[in-house]
Structures are given as structure tokens and as C-alpha cells.
Amino acid sequence: RQNLNGFKGVEIRPVESFSFPNQSEICCPSPWLACVVLPKEFAYKRDAICDELERRGIETRPFFYPVHTMPPYVNYKVWLADGREVKGSMEASARLTVSDEMSARGFNLPTSVGLTRSDLQYINSNVKQVLAMMLAE
């Protein structure tokens, strides 16, 4: 699974601010997902990018919705990093902007121990093409 995360050795960053989550040199990750985080200014194109990848046979998944926005949790209290307490999703959303923003900007690429090097190359070349096309518009 380590070879899947970030699709090691393949460059698909079409713009400078495009990123994969950081990797540490002091640990050996076992990634569950290969996550892509779009630059803030392109968040609104996430679904169109995923739709185009789907048309090319590459299944993607958006990041999970932030817990504070899910119906079972909208009335729960939220404690902020500074210790303050807020109640309800609207008030929490006003303060939990990182969660909301990451959810809107991110999607996951296919991961499986069954993916071959050829599969990874196909995924990478198509992701690179789609991002270059969509982010240039």
C-alpha cells in the first residue's frame, strides 16, 4: 500500500499549489486512501474533475463530509481549540472552516493492492490530463 500513496515517483502537480498530504521521513505510513487536495481557488471544480475521471474509467470519492454537518450531529456541542463551546452546525461551521474547506477541496483516487504499475500509470496520466485541462479553464 505504501507505493499507492501519492503515486510515488509520478509527477501530477499541474499547478504549484496542488498537493498531496505530507509524508514524514520518520515513519512508514500504510495509507488507506490516496488523497488529492485541490488549491482553494479550484475547489468549485472538484466534482467536474471527478466526473471527467469517471468518464475515463477512474473511480474517485470525495472527502468525507465534516462530522459537524451530518444530520445526527448537528445539535451536538463542539469544543473549539481555544476551549470555547459552540452548539449546532451553523455556529460550528462558522468556526470549523478548515474541516469545511478540506471536505470541499479533496477527493480520493483508487487504491488497491491489486493495482498494477500499468494501472497506476493510466490513473496518473489521466489525472494529470484532466487537472491540466480543468484548471486551465
Side-chain angles (χ1 to χ4, degrees):
R1 293 197 68 89
Q2 291 174 10
N3 290 330
L4 299 174
N5 197 34
F7 295 84
K8 285 186 178 179
V10 181
E11 182 62 48
I12 65 169
R13 287 178 175 82
V15 294
E16 187 62 34
S17 56
F18 180 85
S19 67
F20 284 105
N22 292 333
Q23 297 295 311
S24 171
E25 295 178 14
I26 61 171
C27 68
C28 183
S30 180
W32 179 251
L33 299 168
C35 304
V36 176
V37 180
L38 295 172
K40 290 178 188 181
E41 64 270 23
F42 297 115
Y44 73 98
K45 292 188 177 189
R46 183 199 65 187
D47 293 344
I49 290 168
C50 292
D51 289 345
E52 179 59 28
L53 289 169
E54 180 74 30
R55 281 190 279 284
R56 295 172 183 227
I58 300 168
E59 188 175 356
T60 63
R61 291 283 185 258
F63 278 12
F64 292 107
Y65 295 105
V67 171
H68 69 276
T69 66
M70 295 179 182
Y73 306 100
V74 295
N75 293 317
Y76 278 68
K77 295 177 184 177
V78 175
W79 282 268
L80 304 175
D82 64 8
R84 289 181 294 132
E85 175 185 319
V86 295
K87 186 175 184 178
S89 65
M90 292 305 288
E91 191 175 354
S93 286
R95 291 176 172 80
L96 300 174
T97 56
V98 174
S99 296
D100 293 329
E101 182 184 298
M102 292 301 289
S103 176
R105 291 172 50 204
F107 64 94
N108 301 299
L109 296 173
T111 54
S112 166
V113 292
L115 288 174
T116 65
R117 188 69 186 156
S118 176
D119 294 333
L120 291 174
Q121 289 171 341
Y122 177 81
I123 292 166
N124 277 300
S125 67
N126 279 277
V127 168
K128 188 175 185 176
Q129 289 170 15
V130 169
L131 289 172
M133 175 182 70
M134 295 282 192
L135 302 183
E137 293 176 349

